[in-house]
Coordinates of all heavy atoms in Angstrom, one line a residue:
M3 N 0.8 -1.2 0.0 CA 0.0 0.0 0.1 C 0.9 1.2 0.0 O 1.8 1.3 0.7 CB -0.9 0.0 1.2 CG -2.1 0.9 1.2 SD -2.9 1.1 2.8 CE -1.8 2.0 3.8
L4 N 0.5 2.1 -0.8 CA 1.3 3.5 -0.9 C 0.8 4.4 0.2 O -0.4 4.6 0.4 CB 1.0 4.2 -2.2 CG 1.9 3.8 -3.4 CD1 1.4 4.4 -4.7 CD2 3.3 4.4 -3.1
T5 N 1.7 5.0 0.9 CA 1.4 6.0 1.9 C 2.1 7.3 1.7 O 3.3 7.3 1.4 CB 1.9 5.4 3.3 OG1 1.4 4.1 3.5 CG2 1.4 6.3 4.5
E6 N 1.5 8.4 1.7 CA 2.2 9.6 1.5 C 2.8 10.0 2.9 O 2.2 9.9 3.9 CB 1.2 10.7 1.0 CG 2.0 12.0 0.7 CD 1.2 13.1 -0.1 OE1 0.0 13.1 0.0 OE2 1.9 14.0 -0.5
I7 N 4.1 10.5 2.8 CA 4.8 11.0 3.9 C 4.8 12.4 4.0 O 5.3 13.0 3.1 CB 6.2 10.4 3.8 CG1 6.2 8.8 3.8 CG2 7.1 10.9 5.1 CD1 5.7 8.1 5.0
V8 N 4.3 13.0 5.0 CA 4.2 14.5 5.1 C 5.0 15.1 6.3 O 5.3 16.2 6.4 CB 2.8 15.0 5.1 CG1 2.0 14.8 3.9 CG2 2.0 14.5 6.4
T9 N 5.5 14.1 7.1 CA 6.4 14.7 8.2 C 7.6 13.7 8.4 O 7.6 12.6 8.0 CB 5.7 14.6 9.6 OG1 5.5 13.3 9.9 CG2 4.3 15.4 9.7
D10 N 8.7 14.4 8.9 CA 9.9 13.7 9.1 C 9.7 12.5 10.1 O 10.2 11.4 9.9 CB 11.0 14.6 9.8 CG 11.4 15.7 8.9 OD1 11.0 15.7 7.7 OD2 12.4 16.4 9.3
Q11 N 8.8 12.7 11.1 CA 8.6 11.7 12.0 C 8.0 10.5 11.5 O 8.4 9.3 11.9 CB 7.7 12.2 13.3 CG 7.6 11.3 14.4 CD 9.0 11.0 15.1 OE1 9.8 12.0 15.3 NE2 9.3 9.8 15.3
Q12 N 7.1 10.6 10.5 CA 6.4 9.4 9.9 C 7.5 8.5 9.3 O 7.5 7.3 9.4 CB 5.6 10.0 8.7 CG 4.0 9.9 8.9 CD 3.5 10.5 7.7 OE1 3.6 11.6 7.4 NE2 2.7 9.6 7.1
L13 N 8.5 9.2 8.6 CA 9.5 8.4 8.0 C 10.5 7.8 9.0 O 11.0 6.7 8.8 CB 10.3 9.4 7.0 CG 11.1 8.8 5.9 CD1 10.3 7.8 5.1 CD2 11.7 9.8 5.0
I14 N 10.8 8.5 10.0 CA 11.7 8.0 11.1 C 11.0 6.8 11.8 O 11.7 5.8 12.0 CB 11.9 9.1 12.2 CG1 12.7 10.2 11.6 CG2 12.5 8.6 13.4 CD1 12.7 11.6 12.3
D15 N 9.8 6.8 11.9 CA 9.0 5.6 12.5 C 9.1 4.4 11.6 O 8.9 3.3 12.0 CB 7.5 6.0 12.8 CG 7.4 7.0 14.0 OD1 8.4 7.2 14.7 OD2 6.3 7.6 14.1
L16 N 9.2 4.7 10.3 CA 9.2 3.6 9.3 C 10.6 2.9 9.1 O 10.8 2.0 8.4 CB 8.7 4.0 8.0 CG 7.2 4.2 7.9 CD1 6.8 5.0 6.7 CD2 6.4 2.9 7.9
Y17 N 11.6 3.6 9.7 CA 13.0 3.2 9.4 C 13.3 1.8 9.5 O 14.1 1.2 8.6 CB 14.0 4.0 10.3 CG 15.4 4.0 9.9 CD1 15.8 4.7 8.7 CD2 16.3 3.2 10.6 CE1 17.2 4.5 8.4 CE2 17.6 3.1 10.2 CZ 18.1 3.8 9.1 OH 19.3 3.7 8.6
T18 N 12.8 1.1 10.4 CA 13.1 -0.4 10.6 C 12.2 -1.3 9.8 O 12.3 -2.4 9.8 CB 13.0 -0.8 12.0 OG1 11.8 -0.3 12.7 CG2 14.2 -0.1 12.8
T19 N 11.1 -0.7 9.1 CA 10.3 -1.4 8.3 C 10.8 -1.6 6.9 O 11.3 -0.6 6.3 CB 8.9 -0.6 8.2 OG1 8.6 -0.2 9.5 CG2 7.8 -1.6 7.6
P20 N 10.8 -2.8 6.3 CA 11.4 -3.0 5.0 C 10.4 -2.2 4.0 O 9.2 -2.3 4.2 CB 11.3 -4.5 4.7 CG 10.9 -5.1 6.0 CD 10.4 -4.2 6.9
G21 N 11.0 -1.5 3.1 CA 10.2 -0.8 2.1 C 11.0 0.2 1.3 O 12.1 0.2 1.5
Y22 N 10.3 1.0 0.5 CA 10.9 1.8 -0.5 C 10.3 3.3 -0.4 O 9.1 3.4 -0.1 CB 10.6 1.3 -2.0 CG 11.3 0.0 -2.0 CD1 10.7 -1.2 -1.7 CD2 12.6 -0.1 -2.5 CE1 11.4 -2.4 -1.7 CE2 13.3 -1.2 -2.6 CZ 12.7 -2.4 -2.3 OH 13.3 -3.6 -2.3
L23 N 11.1 4.2 -0.6 CA 10.7 5.6 -0.5 C 10.8 6.2 -2.0 O 11.8 6.1 -2.6 CB 11.6 6.5 0.4 CG 11.4 7.9 0.4 CD1 10.0 8.3 1.2 CD2 12.5 8.7 1.0
V24 N 9.7 6.9 -2.4 CA 9.7 7.7 -3.6 C 9.9 9.1 -3.1 O 9.0 9.6 -2.5 CB 8.5 7.5 -4.4 CG1 8.5 8.3 -5.6 CG2 8.3 6.0 -4.8
A25 N 10.9 9.7 -3.5 CA 11.2 11.2 -3.1 C 11.1 12.0 -4.4 O 11.9 11.8 -5.4 CB 12.6 11.3 -2.5
V26 N 10.2 13.0 -4.3 CA 10.1 13.9 -5.4 C 10.7 15.2 -5.1 O 10.2 15.8 -4.1 CB 8.5 14.0 -5.9 CG1 8.5 14.9 -7.1 CG2 7.9 12.8 -6.1
D27 N 11.6 15.8 -5.9 CA 12.3 17.0 -5.6 C 11.8 18.0 -6.6 O 12.2 17.9 -7.8 CB 13.8 16.8 -5.6 CG 14.5 18.1 -5.2 OD1 14.1 19.2 -5.5 OD2 15.6 17.9 -4.5
Y28 N 10.8 18.9 -6.2 CA 10.3 19.9 -7.3 C 11.4 20.8 -7.9 O 11.4 20.9 -9.1 CB 9.2 20.8 -6.6 CG 8.0 20.0 -6.1 CD1 7.1 20.6 -5.2 CD2 7.7 18.7 -6.5 CE1 6.0 19.9 -4.8 CE2 6.6 18.0 -6.1 CZ 5.7 18.7 -5.2 OH 4.6 18.0 -4.7
P29 N 12.2 21.4 -7.0 CA 13.3 22.3 -7.6 C 14.2 21.6 -8.6 O 14.6 22.1 -9.6 CB 14.0 22.9 -6.5 CG 13.2 22.7 -5.3 CD 12.4 21.5 -5.6
K30 N 14.5 20.3 -8.3 CA 15.5 19.6 -9.2 C 14.8 18.8 -10.2 O 15.4 18.2 -11.1 CB 16.3 18.5 -8.3 CG 17.4 19.1 -7.4 CD 18.1 17.9 -6.8 CE 19.2 18.5 -5.8 NZ 19.7 17.4 -5.0
K31 N 13.4 18.9 -10.2 CA 12.6 18.2 -11.2 C 13.1 16.7 -11.3 O 13.4 16.2 -12.4 CB 12.7 18.9 -12.6 CG 12.1 20.2 -12.6 CD 12.1 20.8 -14.0 CE 11.6 22.2 -14.0 NZ 10.2 22.4 -13.4
E32 N 13.0 16.0 -10.2 CA 13.6 14.7 -10.1 C 12.8 13.8 -9.2 O 12.3 14.3 -8.1 CB 15.0 14.9 -9.4 CG 15.9 13.7 -9.5 CD 17.3 14.1 -8.8 OE1 17.4 14.2 -7.7 OE2 18.2 14.5 -9.6
V33 N 12.6 12.6 -9.6 CA 12.0 11.6 -8.7 C 13.0 10.5 -8.5 O 13.6 10.0 -9.5 CB 10.7 10.9 -9.5 CG1 10.1 10.0 -8.6 CG2 9.8 12.0 -9.9
K34 N 13.2 10.2 -7.2 CA 14.3 9.2 -6.9 C 13.7 8.1 -6.0 O 12.9 8.3 -5.1 CB 15.4 9.9 -6.1 CG 16.8 9.3 -6.3 CD 17.8 10.2 -5.8 CE 19.0 10.3 -6.9 NZ 20.0 11.2 -6.5
L35 N 14.1 6.9 -6.3 CA 13.7 5.7 -5.5 C 14.8 5.3 -4.6 O 16.0 5.1 -4.9 CB 13.4 4.5 -6.5 CG 12.9 3.3 -5.8 CD1 11.5 3.4 -5.3 CD2 13.1 2.0 -6.7
H36 N 14.5 5.2 -3.2 CA 15.4 4.7 -2.2 C 14.8 3.6 -1.4 O 13.6 3.4 -1.4 CB 15.6 5.8 -1.2 CG 16.2 7.1 -1.7 ND1 17.5 7.3 -1.9 CD2 15.6 8.2 -2.0 CE1 17.8 8.5 -2.4 NE2 16.7 9.1 -2.4
T37 N 15.7 2.8 -0.8 CA 15.1 1.9 0.2 C 14.9 2.7 1.5 O 15.7 3.7 1.6 CB 16.1 0.8 0.5 OG1 17.4 1.3 0.9 CG2 16.4 -0.2 -0.7
I38 N 14.0 2.4 2.3 CA 13.7 3.2 3.5 C 15.0 3.4 4.4 O 15.2 4.4 5.0 CB 12.6 2.6 4.3 CG1 11.3 3.1 3.6 CG2 12.5 3.0 5.8 CD1 10.0 2.6 4.3
D39 N 15.9 2.4 4.4 CA 17.0 2.5 5.3 C 18.2 3.2 4.7 O 19.3 3.3 5.2 CB 17.4 1.1 5.8 CG 17.8 0.1 4.7 OD1 17.8 0.5 3.5 OD2 18.2 -1.0 5.0
C40 N 18.0 3.8 3.5 CA 19.1 4.5 2.8 C 19.4 5.8 3.6 O 18.5 6.4 4.1 CB 18.7 4.9 1.4 SG 19.9 6.0 0.5
M41 N 20.6 6.2 3.7 CA 20.9 7.4 4.5 C 20.4 8.6 3.9 O 20.0 9.6 4.6 CB 22.5 7.5 4.7 CG 23.3 7.9 3.4 SD 25.0 8.1 3.9 CE 25.6 8.6 2.3
L42 N 20.2 8.5 2.6 CA 19.5 9.8 1.9 C 18.0 9.7 2.1 O 17.4 10.7 1.8 CB 19.9 9.7 0.4 CG 21.3 9.8 0.0 CD1 21.4 9.8 -1.6 CD2 22.0 11.1 0.6
A43 N 17.5 8.7 2.7 CA 16.0 8.6 3.0 C 15.8 8.8 4.5 O 14.7 8.7 5.0 CB 15.4 7.3 2.6
D44 N 16.9 9.2 5.2 CA 16.8 9.3 6.7 C 16.8 10.8 7.1 O 17.8 11.5 7.0 CB 18.0 8.6 7.2 CG 18.1 8.7 8.8 OD1 17.1 9.2 9.4 OD2 19.1 8.3 9.4
P45 N 15.6 11.3 7.6 CA 15.5 12.7 8.0 C 16.5 13.2 9.0 O 16.8 14.3 9.2 CB 14.1 12.9 8.5 CG 13.3 11.7 7.9 CD 14.3 10.5 7.8
I46 N 16.9 12.1 9.9 CA 17.9 12.5 11.0 C 19.2 12.8 10.4 O 20.0 13.6 10.9 CB 18.0 11.3 12.0 CG1 16.6 11.2 12.6 CG2 19.1 11.5 13.0 CD1 16.4 9.9 13.4
S47 N 19.6 12.2 9.2 CA 20.9 12.4 8.6 C 20.9 13.8 7.9 O 19.9 14.2 7.4 CB 21.1 11.3 7.5 OG 22.1 11.8 6.6
S48 N 22.1 14.4 8.0 CA 22.2 15.8 7.5 C 22.0 15.7 6.0 O 21.6 16.7 5.3 CB 23.5 16.4 7.8 OG 24.5 15.6 7.3
V49 N 22.3 14.6 5.3 CA 22.1 14.5 3.8 C 20.7 13.9 3.4 O 20.5 13.7 2.3 CB 23.2 13.6 3.2 CG1 24.6 14.3 3.3 CG2 23.2 12.2 3.8
G50 N 19.9 13.5 4.5 CA 18.7 12.9 4.2 C 17.6 13.8 3.8 O 17.7 15.0 4.0
V51 N 16.5 13.2 3.3 CA 15.3 14.0 2.9 C 14.6 14.6 4.1 O 14.7 14.0 5.2 CB 14.2 13.1 2.1 CG1 14.9 12.6 0.8 CG2 13.8 11.9 2.9
K52 N 13.9 15.7 4.0 CA 13.2 16.3 5.1 C 11.8 16.6 4.6 O 11.4 17.7 4.3 CB 13.9 17.7 5.4 CG 15.5 17.6 5.6 CD 15.7 17.0 7.0 CE 17.3 17.2 7.3 NZ 18.0 16.2 6.7
P53 N 10.9 15.6 4.8 CA 9.5 15.8 4.4 C 8.8 16.9 5.0 O 8.0 17.6 4.3 CB 8.9 14.4 4.8 CG 10.0 13.5 4.8 CD 11.2 14.2 5.3
S54 N 9.0 17.2 6.3 CA 8.3 18.3 7.0 C 8.6 19.6 6.3 O 7.8 20.4 6.1 CB 8.6 18.3 8.5 OG 8.2 17.2 9.2
K55 N 9.9 19.8 6.1 CA 10.3 21.1 5.5 C 9.9 21.2 4.0 O 9.5 22.2 3.6 CB 11.8 21.2 5.5 CG 12.4 22.6 5.4 CD 13.9 22.6 5.8 CE 14.1 23.5 7.0 NZ 15.5 23.5 7.5
A56 N 10.0 20.0 3.3 CA 9.5 20.0 1.9 C 8.0 20.4 1.7 O 7.6 21.1 0.9 CB 9.8 18.7 1.3
R57 N 7.3 19.9 2.7 CA 5.8 20.1 2.8 C 5.5 21.6 3.1 O 4.7 22.2 2.4 CB 5.2 19.2 3.8 CG 3.7 19.4 4.1 CD 3.1 18.3 3.2 NE 1.6 18.4 3.3 CZ 0.8 17.9 2.5 NH1 1.2 17.1 1.6 NH2 -0.6 17.9 2.6
E58 N 6.3 22.1 4.0 CA 6.1 23.5 4.4 C 6.5 24.5 3.3 O 5.8 25.5 3.1 CB 7.1 23.8 5.6 CG 6.8 24.8 6.5 CD 7.9 24.9 7.6 OE1 8.0 24.0 8.3 OE2 8.6 25.9 7.6
N59 N 7.6 24.1 2.6 CA 8.1 25.1 1.5 C 7.5 24.7 0.1 O 7.9 25.3 -0.8 CB 9.6 25.1 1.5 CG 10.1 25.5 2.9 OD1 9.5 26.4 3.6 ND2 11.3 25.0 3.2
N60 N 6.7 23.6 0.0 CA 6.2 23.1 -1.2 C 7.4 22.9 -2.2 O 7.3 23.3 -3.3 CB 5.3 24.1 -1.8 CG 4.4 23.4 -2.9 OD1 4.2 22.3 -2.9 ND2 3.9 24.2 -3.8
T61 N 8.3 22.1 -1.7 CA 9.5 21.7 -2.5 C 9.6 20.3 -2.8 O 10.6 19.8 -3.5 CB 10.8 22.3 -1.9 OG1 10.9 21.6 -0.6 CG2 11.0 23.7 -1.7
G62 N 8.6 19.5 -2.4 CA 8.7 18.1 -2.7 C 7.6 17.3 -2.1 O 6.8 17.8 -1.3
E63 N 7.5 16.0 -2.4 CA 6.6 15.1 -1.8 C 7.2 13.7 -1.8 O 8.1 13.4 -2.5 CB 5.2 15.0 -2.7 CG 5.4 14.5 -4.1 CD 4.1 14.6 -4.9 OE1 3.8 15.7 -5.4 OE2 3.4 13.6 -5.0
F64 N 6.6 12.9 -0.9 CA 7.2 11.6 -0.5 C 6.2 10.5 -0.4 O 5.2 10.8 0.1 CB 8.0 11.7 0.8 CG 9.1 12.8 0.6 CD1 8.8 14.1 1.0 CD2 10.3 12.5 0.3 CE1 9.7 15.1 0.9 CE2 11.3 13.5 0.1 CZ 11.0 14.8 0.4
W65 N 6.6 9.3 -0.9 CA 5.6 8.2 -0.9 C 6.4 7.0 -0.4 O 7.5 6.8 -0.8 CB 5.0 7.9 -2.2 CG 4.2 9.1 -2.7 CD1 4.6 10.1 -3.4 CD2 2.8 9.3 -2.5 NE1 3.6 11.0 -3.6 CE2 2.4 10.5 -3.2 CE3 1.7 8.5 -2.0 CZ2 1.1 11.0 -3.2 CZ3 0.4 9.0 -2.0 CH2 0.1 10.2 -2.6
V66 N 5.7 6.2 0.3 CA 6.4 4.9 0.8 C 5.5 3.7 0.4 O 4.3 3.8 0.5 CB 6.6 5.0 2.4 CG1 6.7 3.6 3.0 CG2 7.9 5.7 2.7
S67 N 6.2 2.6 0.1 CA 5.5 1.4 -0.2 C 6.4 0.2 0.4 O 7.6 0.3 0.2 CB 5.1 1.2 -1.6 OG 4.5 -0.1 -1.8
E68 N 5.8 -0.9 0.8 CA 6.6 -2.0 1.1 C 6.9 -2.8 -0.1 O 7.8 -3.7 -0.1 CB 5.9 -2.9 2.2 CG 4.6 -3.5 1.9 CD 3.4 -2.5 2.1 OE1 3.7 -1.3 2.3 OE2 2.4 -3.0 2.0
S69 N 6.2 -2.5 -1.2 CA 6.5 -3.2 -2.4 C 7.3 -2.4 -3.4 O 7.0 -1.3 -3.7 CB 5.1 -3.6 -3.2 OG 5.3 -3.6 -4.5
R70 N 8.4 -3.0 -3.9 CA 9.2 -2.2 -4.8 C 8.5 -2.0 -6.1 O 8.6 -0.8 -6.6 CB 10.5 -3.0 -5.1 CG 11.5 -2.2 -5.8 CD 12.9 -3.0 -6.1 NE 14.0 -2.2 -6.5 CZ 14.2 -1.7 -7.7 NH1 13.4 -1.9 -8.7 NH2 15.2 -0.9 -8.0
D71 N 7.8 -3.0 -6.7 CA 7.1 -2.7 -7.9 C 6.1 -1.5 -7.7 O 6.0 -0.7 -8.7 CB 6.2 -4.0 -8.2 CG 7.2 -5.1 -8.7 OD1 8.4 -4.9 -9.0 OD2 6.6 -6.1 -8.8
E72 N 5.4 -1.5 -6.6 CA 4.4 -0.3 -6.4 C 5.1 1.0 -6.3 O 4.7 2.0 -6.9 CB 3.6 -0.7 -5.2 CG 2.4 0.3 -5.0 CD 1.6 0.0 -3.7 OE1 2.1 -0.1 -2.7 OE2 0.5 -0.2 -3.9
A73 N 6.3 1.0 -5.7 CA 7.0 2.2 -5.5 C 7.6 2.7 -6.8 O 7.5 3.9 -7.2 CB 8.2 2.1 -4.5
V74 N 8.1 1.8 -7.6 CA 8.6 2.1 -8.9 C 7.4 2.6 -9.9 O 7.6 3.6 -10.6 CB 9.2 0.9 -9.7 CG1 9.5 1.1 -11.1 CG2 10.5 0.5 -8.9
S75 N 6.3 2.0 -9.8 CA 5.1 2.4 -10.7 C 4.8 3.9 -10.3 O 4.5 4.7 -11.1 CB 3.9 1.5 -10.5 OG 4.2 0.3 -10.7
K76 N 4.7 4.1 -8.9 CA 4.3 5.5 -8.5 C 5.4 6.5 -8.9 O 5.1 7.6 -9.4 CB 4.2 5.5 -6.9 CG 3.8 6.9 -6.4 CD 2.4 7.1 -6.8 CE 1.9 8.5 -6.2 NZ 0.6 8.8 -6.6
A77 N 6.7 6.1 -8.8 CA 7.8 7.0 -9.2 C 7.7 7.3 -10.7 O 7.9 8.5 -11.1 CB 9.0 6.3 -8.9
E78 N 7.5 6.3 -11.6 CA 7.4 6.5 -13.0 C 6.2 7.3 -13.4 O 6.2 8.1 -14.2 CB 7.3 5.1 -13.7 CG 8.6 4.4 -13.7 CD 8.6 3.0 -14.3 OE1 7.5 2.4 -14.4 OE2 9.8 2.5 -14.5
E79 N 5.1 7.1 -12.6 CA 3.8 7.9 -12.9 C 4.1 9.3 -12.6 O 3.7 10.2 -13.4 CB 2.7 7.2 -12.1 CG 1.4 8.0 -12.2 CD 0.4 7.6 -11.0 OE1 0.3 6.4 -10.7 OE2 -0.1 8.5 -10.5
L80 N 4.7 9.6 -11.4 CA 4.9 10.9 -11.0 C 5.9 11.7 -12.0 O 5.7 12.8 -12.3 CB 5.5 11.0 -9.6 CG 4.6 10.8 -8.4 CD1 5.4 10.5 -7.2 CD2 3.7 12.0 -8.2
A81 N 6.9 11.0 -12.4 CA 7.9 11.5 -13.3 C 7.2 11.8 -14.6 O 7.5 12.9 -15.2 CB 9.1 10.5 -13.5
K82 N 6.4 10.9 -15.1 CA 5.8 11.1 -16.4 C 4.8 12.3 -16.4 O 4.8 13.2 -17.2 CB 5.0 9.8 -16.7 CG 4.6 9.8 -18.2 CD 3.8 8.5 -18.5 CE 3.0 8.6 -19.8 NZ 2.0 7.6 -19.9
N83 N 4.0 12.4 -15.3 CA 3.0 13.5 -15.2 C 3.6 14.8 -15.0 O 3.1 15.8 -15.5 CB 2.1 13.2 -14.0 CG 1.2 12.0 -14.1 OD1 1.0 11.5 -15.3 ND2 0.5 11.6 -13.1
K84 N 4.8 14.8 -14.4 CA 5.3 16.2 -14.1 C 6.5 16.5 -15.1 O 6.9 17.6 -15.1 CB 5.9 16.2 -12.6 CG 5.0 16.1 -11.5 CD 5.6 15.9 -10.2 CE 4.7 15.8 -9.0 NZ 3.8 17.0 -8.8
G85 N 6.9 15.5 -15.9 CA 8.0 15.8 -16.8 C 9.3 15.7 -16.1 O 10.2 16.4 -16.5
Y86 N 9.4 15.0 -15.0 CA 10.6 15.0 -14.2 C 11.5 13.7 -14.6 O 11.0 12.8 -15.3 CB 10.3 14.9 -12.7 CG 9.8 16.1 -12.1 CD1 9.4 17.2 -12.8 CD2 9.6 16.1 -10.7 CE1 8.9 18.3 -12.1 CE2 9.0 17.2 -10.0 CZ 8.8 18.4 -10.7 OH 8.2 19.4 -10.2
T87 N 12.7 13.8 -14.2 CA 13.6 12.6 -14.5 C 13.4 11.6 -13.3 O 13.3 12.0 -12.1 CB 15.1 13.0 -14.3 OG1 15.3 14.4 -14.6 CG2 16.0 12.2 -15.2
Y88 N 13.4 10.3 -13.6 CA 13.3 9.2 -12.7 C 14.6 8.5 -12.5 O 15.1 8.0 -13.5 CB 12.1 8.3 -13.0 CG 12.2 7.0 -12.2 CD1 12.1 7.0 -10.9 CD2 12.3 5.8 -12.9 CE1 12.2 5.8 -10.2 CE2 12.4 4.5 -12.2 CZ 12.3 4.6 -10.8 OH 12.4 3.4 -10.2
T89 N 15.1 8.4 -11.3 CA 16.3 7.6 -11.2 C 16.2 6.7 -9.9 O 15.6 7.1 -8.9 CB 17.6 8.6 -10.9 OG1 17.3 9.5 -9.9 CG2 18.0 9.3 -12.2
V90 N 16.9 5.7 -9.9 CA 17.2 4.8 -8.8 C 18.4 5.3 -8.1 O 19.4 5.4 -8.7 CB 17.2 3.4 -9.2 CG1 17.3 2.5 -7.9 CG2 15.9 3.0 -9.9
C91 N 18.3 5.5 -6.8 CA 19.5 6.0 -6.0 C 20.6 4.9 -6.2 O 20.4 3.8 -6.0 CB 19.0 6.0 -4.5 SG 20.4 6.4 -3.4
R92 N 21.8 5.5 -6.4 CA 23.0 4.6 -6.6 C 23.5 4.1 -5.3 O 24.3 3.1 -5.3 CB 24.1 5.4 -7.3 CG 23.8 5.5 -8.8 CD 25.1 5.9 -9.5 NE 24.8 6.9 -10.5 CZ 25.6 7.8 -11.0 NH1 26.8 8.0 -10.5 NH2 25.2 8.6 -12.0
I93 N 23.2 4.8 -4.2 CA 23.7 4.3 -2.9 C 23.0 3.1 -2.4 O 23.7 2.2 -1.9 CB 23.7 5.5 -1.9 CG1 24.6 6.6 -2.3 CG2 24.0 5.0 -0.5 CD1 24.5 7.8 -1.5
C94 N 21.7 3.1 -2.5 CA 20.9 2.0 -1.9 C 20.5 1.0 -2.9 O 19.8 0.0 -2.5 CB 19.8 2.5 -1.1 SG 18.6 3.5 -2.0
D95 N 20.7 1.2 -4.2 CA 20.2 0.2 -5.2 C 21.2 -1.0 -5.3 O 22.2 -1.0 -6.0 CB 20.1 0.9 -6.6 CG 19.6 -0.1 -7.7 OD1 18.9 -1.0 -7.3 OD2 20.0 0.1 -8.8
R96 N 20.8 -2.0 -4.4 CA 21.7 -3.2 -4.4 C 20.9 -4.4 -4.2 O 19.6 -4.2 -3.9 CB 22.7 -3.0 -3.2 CG 22.1 -2.6 -1.9 CD 23.1 -2.3 -0.9 NE 22.8 -1.2 0.0 CZ 21.9 -1.2 0.9 NH1 21.2 -2.3 1.2 NH2 21.7 -0.2 1.7
Ligands
ZN101 ZN1 19.1 5.7 -1.6

């Protein structure tokens, strides 16, 4: 099931759950797929995504699914609809 993530805390609570994060970056016009345990998907990390701030500033949106296929479909759909680039994160794609 796809869940929209609107706060950092929601994502922090999911950290130990297996799953995938779709991160949409409006300024970069980019959709990126991460595993939930990727450091770039961790709001606590300085390099990680910050859903609360993105929501507040309208600079992005985030979706989580336990299914990789579902996350990829959502990422591809978002990229297509917005004309953004879709990439799989090189750090956690293993
Ligand atoms: Zn990643």
Side-chain angles (χ1 to χ4, degrees):
M3 196 186 72
L4 270 169
T5 308
E6 187 170 14
I7 301 295
V8 294
T9 66
D10 292 4
Q11 192 57 49
Q12 258 181 294
L13 200 49
I14 291 162
D15 291 344
L16 285 167
Y17 191 72
T18 52
T19 315
Y22 296 86
L23 173 76
V24 176
V26 186
D27 189 320
Y28 299 162
K30 286 187 182 167
K31 298 189 183 299
E32 191 179 79
V33 182
K34 209 166 226 182
L35 181 74
H36 297 281
T37 58
I38 279 184
D39 61 359
C40 177
M41 67 177 186
L42 298 181
D44 177 8
I46 295 168
S47 160
S48 60
V49 293
V51 295
K52 306 283 187 289
S54 294
K55 203 167 238 177
R57 180 94 182 166
E58 201 182 297
N59 301 326
N60 195 29
T61 53
E63 63 184 83
F64 303 88
W65 298 86
V66 155
S67 174
E68 60 279 11
S69 153
R70 191 180 195 278
D71 288 347
E72 193 177 49
V74 169
S75 304
K76 183 67 180 176
E78 286 175 345
E79 181 197 313
L80 284 162
K82 196 179 160 198
N83 290 347
K84 294 176 183 294
Y86 289 4
T87 334
Y88 164 59
T89 51
V90 177
C91 173
R92 280 198 218 150
I93 294 172
C94 60
D95 183 27
R96 48 186 142 78

